[in-house]
Amino acid sequence: MRKSVVLVGVLAVFAFVAALSWPDRSSHQQQQPAARKLGLHVSGREVVEGDGSPFVMRGISHPYAWMQDQRQAFADIKRLGANTVRVVLTRQTTAPEVADVVATCKQQKLICVLENHDTTGYGDQEGSVPLDAVTGWWAGLRDVLAGQEDYVVVNIGNEPYGNSGTEAWTAATKAAVRKLRDAGLRHLLMADAPNWGQDWSGVMRDNAASVLAADPLHNTVFSVHMYGVYGTAEKVTGYLDAFRRQGLPLVVGEFGWKHTDGAVADDAIMRAAQERGVGYLGWSWSGNSGGVEYLDAATGFDAGRLTDWGRRLFAHIRETAREATVFTTASR
């Protein structure tokens, strides 16, 4: 979500026949570098665990960076059925704090998507920074994150461009991915779209394959944020299917039920994501303000007071989420 509102904010290109048929997952998996078998990773258009089990994210974002005292949120989000939590961080979040977040996620058996929020709306949002500015911060977390590849996804930068300068997204994202790999991070990376995450210009859709090809570990999933641009089921399915046709991995990294730019086809998002095996993460647990309090899933961080949005979201999560197998296998 936009930072100006508090707390709201591929694979190498397939052969030319990829547009005509879905990729052969079994043959594609045989082409994966051995290094990619460490932890969560991309296999064709799926995210899978280290043992090859498909993992479909079902969860919500939690504004940890501004609400560090709301630690009960992790347990509540898990109890309501989620298998993933997306955790808002900034460059002011310290390595010990990140280590604590990861430990808490693991304790609650939640896959932890760590995202840096400082990039939100770069080019349009005052105070926002480019992707390059957060790569050093991520590199500084290398020792904290090492060995957590089964449990952690690195969401490089939230909504890294507003609606200005979006043509730079491809080169900037490739450079950020390479810097994180050079720093030793082997985790599944998540790359957010431009246009405040909504990619209405199609920049991410049209260039995701080249970004994935530029990742030495071939281990990047793409994230679209769905708000008012996705006000109809046709808009939702059209975007999801564009990635599906290319055999590229995609998640809906944020969505709500309405926003300042219009109504959102949230039921269609959840239904279409489920039909296609696409992960989704709702925005957000609680703490929204500045006129967008309607995006709170829980009133006042109280799991006993879910909003209509929260009830709908978690009802679908409970029906469809599967806990990561890494938490159900022998202790590690």
Side-chain angles (χ1 to χ4, degrees):
M1 292 299 295
R2 298 191 181 194
K3 198 172 181 180
S4 56
V5 178
V6 180
L7 300 183
V8 178
V10 87
L11 299 171
V13 179
F14 286 101
F16 68 91
V17 294
L20 303 177
S21 61
W22 304 139
D24 185 320
R25 179 181 157 199
S26 60
S27 62
H28 174 71
Q29 285 180 308
Q30 293 172 3
Q31 300 169 7
Q32 304 302 315
R36 296 226 15 259
K37 299 306 180 185
L38 178 63
L40 291 159
H41 60 278
V42 165
S43 177
R45 60 178 181 263
E46 293 184 325
V47 171
V48 303
E49 297 188 62
D51 65 357
S53 301
F55 181 72
V56 181
M57 298 180 197
R58 290 284 181 266
I60 195 166
S61 290
H62 169 50
Y64 169 85
W66 304 288
M67 300 285 181
Q68 295 187 25
D69 58 329
Q70 297 293 342
R71 301 182 59 82
Q72 180 61 30
F74 294 93
D76 289 339
I77 290 168
K78 176 63 179 183
R79 181 174 56 81
L80 288 168
N83 62 20
T84 305
V85 61
R86 181 172 179 256
V87 185
V88 177
L89 308 173
T90 70
R91 289 172 298 165
Q92 283 67 53
T93 311
T94 66
E97 289 167 345
V98 173
D100 184 62
V101 166
V102 173
T104 302
C105 288
K106 291 171 68 175
Q107 182 182 26
Q108 296 300 330
K109 299 183 178 181
L110 288 165
I111 294 299
C112 194
V113 178
L114 302 176
E115 64 103 335
N116 187 293
H117 218 73
D118 293 335
T119 58
T120 306
Y122 178 67
D124 290 346
Q125 174 63 51
E126 184 178 356
S128 181
V129 302
L131 281 170
D132 184 66
V134 302
T135 55
W137 179 81
W138 283 116
L141 297 173
R142 178 181 56 193
D143 292 343
V144 167
L145 299 180
Q148 305 301 327
E149 292 85 356
D150 281 310
Y151 309 97
V152 169
V153 180
V154 173
N155 191 177
I156 308 171
N158 182 67
E159 300 178 358
Y161 285 88
N163 293 320
S164 302
T166 57
E167 66 279 358
W169 177 89
T170 305
T173 304
K174 288 179 180 179
V177 168
R178 291 190 190 103
K179 287 185 177 182
L180 296 190
R181 297 306 187 207
D182 289 345
L185 274 69
R186 299 161 63 86
H187 306 72
L188 174 64
L189 302 180
M190 183 182 290
D192 277 12
N195 303 124
W196 299 96
Q198 297 201 77
D199 201 30
W200 57 260
S201 64
V203 170
M204 184 174 79
R205 178 199 63 207
D206 296 342
N207 294 281
S210 69
V211 172
L212 184 56
D215 180 354
L217 297 185
H218 222 75
N219 197 22
T220 300
V221 62
F222 299 92
S223 171
V224 63
H225 294 182
M226 290 188 164
Y227 292 103
V229 170
Y230 299 92
T232 67
E234 291 75 18
K235 289 287 186 68
V236 172
T237 58
Y239 193 87
L240 299 186
D241 287 345
F243 273 74
R244 184 174 175 86
R245 283 191 296 271
Q246 297 180 78
L248 299 175
L250 180 72
V251 298
V252 181
E254 282 188 20
F255 73 108
W257 66 282
K258 71 173 182 177
H259 196 34
T260 54
D261 57 348
V264 186
D266 58 307
D267 287 335
I269 291 169
M270 290 185 282
R271 181 175 61 253
Q274 178 62 20
E275 291 170 352
R276 292 158 176 78
V278 171
Y280 66 66
L281 303 168
W283 184 276
S284 66
W285 179 240
S286 196
N288 292 291
S289 62
V292 292
E293 292 84 356
Y294 53 77
L295 286 172
D296 282 358
T299 302
F301 289 91
D302 184 350
R305 293 193 295 157
L306 293 183
T307 63
D308 287 344
W309 161 230
R311 283 191 289 273
R312 290 204 312 278
L313 174 64
F314 280 101
H316 195 267
I317 286 174
R318 281 192 297 273
E319 291 175 1
T320 61
R322 179 190 61 77
E323 186 175 271
T325 60
V326 69
F327 295 121
T328 57
T329 55
S331 60
R332 295 170 183 249

